[in-house]
Each structure stands twice: as C-alpha cells, then as structure tokens.
Amino acid sequence: MEMAEREEGSEESPPEVEIPEAVVETARRARRVVAVTGAGVSAESGVPTFRDAMTGLWARFRAEDLATPEAFARDPATVWAWYVWRRRLLEGVRPNPAHEALAEMSSLYPEFALVTQNVDGLHQRAGSTDVIELHGNLARDRCEVECGSWPGRTDEEGPPPCPACGRRLRPDVVWFGELLPSGALMTAFEAAEQCDLLLSIGTSGLVEPAASIPRVAHASGATVVVVNPEPSGPPGERMIHLRGPAGIVLPALLTRIREG
Ligand code: BV8
C-alpha cells in the first residue's frame, strides 16, 4: 500500500490512503479481531516512541538501562525523575485519530480485544474500554514491596515513601526483567489464538513476550496486518503491511470497513 503524495500547497486534508481490497474484505468478514499497539500509535499525539524517549536530558541513557529494577535500586532518583518527566509530557498531549479509530472499530465486531504495550493511557482517553495493558500504566504508582497500598499517583521528588508501609513507591509499570501481569498476558494470547484478524500497530516488535502475540495469531490461522511507516519483513501469506502512520491508515481502514 502506498501513500498518495500530497500536492504542494494542498489544503490540510490528510493524504489519500488506498487500502488493498484484500485487507478491506478480510476486515469486513472478520468476527474476532485483536489490535496490538506499541509506542508508534501514540507518536502522532506527540508522545516520543519508546526508543525516541531517550532524547534530550535522557539521551545519555538507553531505555533498557532506566526501565529495570536494577536501575531503580541503583539510582532511584534518576529513574523516578524519568517517569515524572514522561508523565508531565502526557499532560500536554491528547489521543490522535489512530486511538479514536480503534475505539470506534471495537463496536463493529462481536469480539474485539485491544492489547497495548503502551503505558500512556491514551487508548482509554480515546474511549476504548477493557484495554489490556501488558506493561502497566504511567499514571499509577505502587508500593515497591506491594504491601497492598495503591496510592494512585504522586509526583513529589522521589521516589516518595509508601503511605501505608513507608517503603518506596515506584511507577506501576513492568520493567525489563519483570514478569508481565499474568491475567493480561493470558487474555492477550488467548484472544490471539482465536482471532480471525490481528492488527499490529506501531511496534518495533522487539520486546518479548508482547512481540510473540502477532506470531501466535498468524500461526493460529489469522491474517496479520502490520501498520507502521517503517518497512517490515517480507509480506507472506496472511501477512500484510500497510505502510504509513497509524493516524492516517487506521481512519482510512475504518472508513472502508464501514462502506461495506
Ligand atoms: C519478561 C514499560 C519474563 C516500562 C516496557 C524472550 C526473547 C528475548 C528477550 C526476552 C524474552 N523474554 C524476556 C526478554 C527480555 C525482555 C526483552 O524483550 N528485551 C528486549 C529489549 C530484547 N523482556 C522483558 O524483560 C519482559 N519481561 O519477559 O519477564 C522474563 C524475566 C527475566 C528474564 C527473561 C524473561 C518485560 C518487558 C516489558 C518492558 N517494559 N514498558 C516503560 O515504559 O518505561 S517495554 C517498552 O517497549 C514500552 O512499553 C514499549 O511499548 C515497548 C516496545 O516498544 P515499542 O512499543 O515497539 O516502541 P518502539 O519505540 O520500539 O517502536 C515504535 C514503532 O512505532 C517503530 O517500529 C516505529 O517505526 C513505529 N512508528 C513510529 N511512528 C509511527 C509508528 N507506527 C505507526 N504510526 C506512527 N505514526
């Protein structure tokens, strides 16, 4: 799928996007759909992608060096400051047309599961419900020793003490080397095994076990549609790449599905 070039000086209407008929037909026939999103779905909201989040003050770090329990143990103030910086970024952004298209798409199917690797809460803000958050949510903190306190959110210089037990609070996200919430992960893999169509949107597919979800769907007979402006692997049977930004491609796909 190619993006139509935008003529010079054209009004601000988004570039035309043609969606291959095969994708439209598959999306219209599907009954059980899974959408798996990564940081790219929030890029057009102005949220740096996970690998782009290492810019400015954080350019000297790698995400894998900050988003780990070892980093938090070694330098809690720096890790906490990175999360407060990312949280503050989120205060100034809003869902983009990709989030909105996914929220609308869910009502078109008898079964629709939205699985996200993101921790920005933008799917929920766009109106999606029952979002399966594999990696937690930046808006929440939790007690480091999980004493049962769930203080919601604190932005003090940090990390602040848990109000219930006095140990440290930490962001309620899954760090590298930590297990994902078992319920969320099981639900995501079950949905992938049973779906007709899986949309893999805005992810580099580097982080496991989330990266295996599209593979499980494909192995179970589903069609996998990848939405990403970057080239992805060679197309294959039941594997289609819609090359373009999610904020353009998903609304175009939604329009075509509705025309049917
Ligand atoms: C675990 C929360 C058991 C924190 C995150 C098996 C094989 C290999 C490695 C492993 C494995 N099992 C475990 C590992 C180790 C590790 C791992 O996968 N490491 C990687 C680096 C190799 N996994 C774990 O540790 C996981 N835990 O498995 O527990 C275990 C325990 C110990 C030892 C073994 C097993 C926990 C992983 C969770 C980490 N936490 N986030 C935080 O956010 O601070 S992951 C983090 O990366 C984010 O959540 C992010 O979502 C995620 C994935 O990145 P992407 O979303 O894909 O973002 P990225 O920037 O990479 O890509 C953006 C894409 O968007 C690009 O392709 C770009 O082209 C595209 N794009 C850009 N603009 C647009 C766009 N697309 C569409 N539209 C646009 N406009």
Side-chain angles (χ1 to χ4, degrees):
M1 180 210 72
E2 289 306 320
M3 303 275 294
E5 290 303 315
R6 187 180 296 187
E7 291 83 44
E8 275 309 305
S10 66
E11 66 285 348
E12 275 313 298
S13 62
E16 283 302 304
V17 172
E18 81 276 352
I19 308 278
E21 277 312 311
V23 173
V24 176
E25 283 315 305
T26 303
R28 284 178 183 159
R29 274 198 316 270
R31 315 301 303 150
R32 296 180 299 275
V33 175
V34 173
V36 179
T37 65
V41 81
S42 298
E44 291 153 271
S45 295
V47 180
T49 64
F50 195 68
R51 274 142 195 81
D52 294 348
M54 313 320 292
T55 52
L57 180 61
W58 309 103
R60 57 198 165 97
F61 295 96
R62 284 182 336 121
E64 286 78 0
D65 298 339
L66 283 180
T68 69
E70 294 76 18
F72 188 62
R74 184 178 59 246
D75 185 354
T78 297
V79 173
W80 181 265
W82 183 49
Y83 282 92
V84 169
W85 175 75
R86 289 171 62 191
R87 248 179 215 159
R88 294 228 169 102
L89 269 185
L90 284 182
E91 285 162 10
V93 305
R94 40 189 309 283
N96 69 61
H99 298 107
E100 289 158 358
L102 286 168
E104 291 178 44
M105 216 177 269
S106 64
S107 62
L108 301 181
Y109 296 99
E111 291 178 40
F112 184 92
L114 178 55
V115 180
T116 190
Q117 301 174 82
N118 299 343
V119 295
D120 59 30
L122 287 178
H123 285 302
Q124 292 90 327
R125 285 175 56 192
S128 288
T129 54
D130 305 324
V131 178
I132 299 168
E133 293 183 319
L134 295 179
H135 296 155
N137 190 307
L138 207 48
R140 296 189 304 260
D141 294 323
R142 66 174 170 83
C143 171
E144 187 180 22
V145 297
E146 297 197 273
C147 71
S149 150
W150 218 275
R153 166 180 169 165
T154 56
D155 258 2
E156 305 158 37
E157 284 304 302
C162 168
C165 73
R167 298 290 298 270
R168 287 182 306 206
L169 292 181
R170 54 161 284 177
D172 187 22
V173 298
V174 179
W175 280 330
F176 288 98
E178 293 186 322
L179 293 172
L180 276 63
S182 54
L185 192 58
M186 192 164 56
T187 304
F189 275 111
E190 282 170 0
E193 283 162 358
Q194 293 156 18
C195 71
D196 316 308
L197 171 64
L198 183 137
L199 305 172
S200 173
I201 304 156
T203 180
S204 57
L206 294 175
V207 174
E208 293 292 356
S212 296
I213 295 170
R215 283 195 286 273
V216 164
H218 190 259
S220 305
T223 295
V224 173
V225 175
V226 173
V227 178
N228 196 316
E230 295 300 313
S232 84
E237 190 202 357
R238 294 183 288 105
M239 175 71 79
I240 301 158
H241 182 201
L242 299 183
R243 190 162 174 188
I248 301 284
V249 171
L250 290 178
L253 176 59
L254 178 63
T255 300
R256 294 299 315 279
I257 296 168
R258 282 187 165 143
E259 286 165 354

